C-alpha cells in the first residue's frame, strides 16, 4: 500500500483488494472486533506457500492516561502445501515497558511510524526482519496474542479467477493499563491504610491485650516500680 515499497518490487507486486469491517457489540462507538480481508490476484501456475504481513493500526487511550501510538501487527505463516486462503484470529494486547504517567498531554512519541513515509527507503530498511526489530525497540507497542490460524489448500483450477486471500480478525478486549498514581491518589490510599490500622488496633489489639492480662493467659510477674526503703 506504499508506492516506494511497491516500486522496489517491480513486476512482482500484486495489488490486493482490501475490505475492512468493524464490530461494536457494546455500542460505545469503539471497535471491539476488526475484520480485515485481502484478496491478491495470482496466476494459475503460481503457488503460495508462505505469507508475511504487517498491519498498522492506531491505538488510542483517552481516559485517565492519554496514549496515541501506532499499533503494528505481524503475521508470518508458512505451510508445506500451496494454499488459497489464510485465516488468522487473535487478540490485540498493549505492552508497556514502564507505567504510563497521568498528564494532560498525549503520549505519542511524535507519531513515529515503523515504516518511514516521508522519504525514500532502501530495501534493507523495509525487510521483515528490520521492521520487526523497529517495532520491538519501542517502549509502548502492541502484539497479537492467542493467535489461531487456518490454511486452506489450493485448487487445481481457478474459477472464475485465481486469487490468494488473507482474513485477519483482531479482537480488542478491555485492558488493564499500569500507570503512575498522582500525589492525591497516593495520599488517599495512605490515609485509608492509616484509618484501617487504627480501627484494627482499637477493636482487636487493645481488647486482646486486656484479656490476656486480666485472665492471666500467660505467666506474668508483677514488678513494683516503687523503690524499697532500707532499714538501718
Amino acid at each position: 500500500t506504499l508506492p516506494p515499497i511497491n516500486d522496489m518490487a517491480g513486476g512482482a507486486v500484486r495489488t490486493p483488494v482490501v475490505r475492512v469491517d468493524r464490530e461494536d457489540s457494546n455500542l460505545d462507538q469503539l471497535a471491539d472486533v476488526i475484520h480485515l480481508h485481502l484478496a491478491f490476484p495470482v496466476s494459475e501456475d503460481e503457488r503460495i506457500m508462505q505469507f508475511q504481513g504487517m498491519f498498522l493500526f492506531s491505538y488510542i487511550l483517552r481516559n485517565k492516561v492519554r496514549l496515541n501510538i501506532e499499533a503494528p501487527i505481524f503475521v508470518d505463516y508458512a505451510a508445506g502445501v500451496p494454499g488459497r486462503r489464510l485465516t488468522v484470529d487473535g487478540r490485540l494486547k498493549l505492552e508497556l515497558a514502564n507505567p504510563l504517567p497521568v498528564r494532560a498531554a498525549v503520549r505519542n512519541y511524535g507519531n513515529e511510524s515503523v515504516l518511514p513515509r516521508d522519504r525514500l527507503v532502501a530495501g534493507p530498511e523495509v525487510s521483515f526482519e528490520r521492521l520487526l526489530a523497529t517495532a520491538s525497540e519501542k517502549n509502548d507497542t502492541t502484539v497479537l496474542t492467542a493467535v489461531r490460524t487456518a490454511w486452506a489448500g489450493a485448487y487445481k483450477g481457478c474459477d472464475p479467477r485465481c486469487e490468494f486471500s488473507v482474513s485477519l480478525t483482531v479482537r480488542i478486549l478491555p485492558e488493564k493499563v499500569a500507570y503512575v498514581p498522582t500525589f492525591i491518589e497516593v495520599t488517599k490510599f495512605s490515609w485509608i491504610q492509616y484509618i484501617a490500622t487504627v480501627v484494627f488496633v482499637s477493636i482487636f489489639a487493645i481488647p486482646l491485650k486486656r484479656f490476656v492480662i486480666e485472665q492471666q493467659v500467660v505467666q506474668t510477674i508483677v514488678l513494683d516500680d516503687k523503690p524499697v526503703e532500707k532499714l538501718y
Side-chain angles (χ1 to χ4, degrees):
T1 55
L2 294 178
I5 299 179
N6 292 341
D7 293 341
M8 289 189 297
V13 172
R14 300 291 187 269
T15 303
V17 177
V18 181
R19 187 179 74 249
V20 180
D21 300 316
R22 298 174 178 86
E23 293 183 15
D24 182 13
S25 57
N26 54 9
L27 302 179
D28 60 353
Q29 299 183 353
L30 298 175
D32 299 312
V33 182
I34 299 177
H35 300 280
L36 183 63
H37 182 78
L38 299 90
F40 296 87
V42 296
S43 61
E44 189 172 353
D45 58 344
E46 288 180 319
R47 297 292 181 266
I48 309 299
M49 302 184 67
Q50 183 180 10
F51 176 83
Q52 289 183 329
M54 183 183 68
F55 305 89
L56 300 178
F57 297 86
S58 179
Y59 196 99
I60 301 175
L61 298 177
R62 298 175 178 174
N63 293 332
K64 182 178 289 291
V65 293
R66 299 177 180 271
L67 180 68
N68 184 359
I69 61 172
E70 183 182 69
I73 292 179
F74 294 89
V75 176
D76 187 2
Y77 188 88
V81 296
R84 72 179 189 277
R85 183 175 64 253
L86 172 64
T87 303
V88 181
D89 193 314
R91 301 174 181 177
L92 186 66
K93 180 176 179 56
L94 177 66
E95 287 195 342
L96 302 175
N98 300 294
L100 295 174
V102 178
R103 59 181 61 174
V106 179
R107 182 170 174 174
N108 58 9
Y109 300 105
N111 290 326
E112 297 178 359
S113 176
V114 176
L115 282 173
R117 307 184 185 187
D118 55 350
R119 58 181 176 83
L120 296 177
V121 294
E125 290 184 273
V126 292
S127 64
F128 205 69
E129 295 79 7
R130 180 56 189 166
L131 295 177
L132 278 172
T134 302
S136 300
E137 290 171 356
K138 295 181 176 295
N139 290 331
D140 306 330
T141 185
T142 56
V143 294
L144 195 65
T145 62
V147 179
R148 293 173 175 82
T149 57
W151 181 265
Y155 295 134
K156 292 184 178 180
C158 302
D159 187 20
R161 63 175 183 174
C162 297
E163 68 176 21
F164 176 79
S165 62
V166 178
S167 296
L168 174 64
T169 300
V170 180
R171 305 183 186 276
I172 306 171
L173 303 180
E175 288 273 5
K176 293 183 179 180
V177 180
Y179 69 94
V180 180
T182 60
F183 175 77
I184 296 178
E185 288 180 308
V186 174
T187 304
K188 179 180 177 181
F189 183 70
S190 302
W191 176 252
I192 293 175
Q193 285 186 318
Y194 173 77
I195 295 296
T197 303
V198 171
V199 170
F200 176 80
V201 172
S202 301
I203 297 178
F204 298 101
I206 295 178
L208 179 62
K209 176 184 176 182
R210 184 181 302 112
F211 175 80
V212 171
I213 295 176
E214 293 178 352
Q215 302 299 325
Q216 297 183 356
V217 177
V218 295
Q219 183 179 3
T220 58
I221 300 176
V222 179
L223 298 178
D224 190 357
D225 295 335
K226 185 177 180 181
V228 179
E229 297 181 359
K230 294 183 178 181
L231 299 177
Y232 298 95

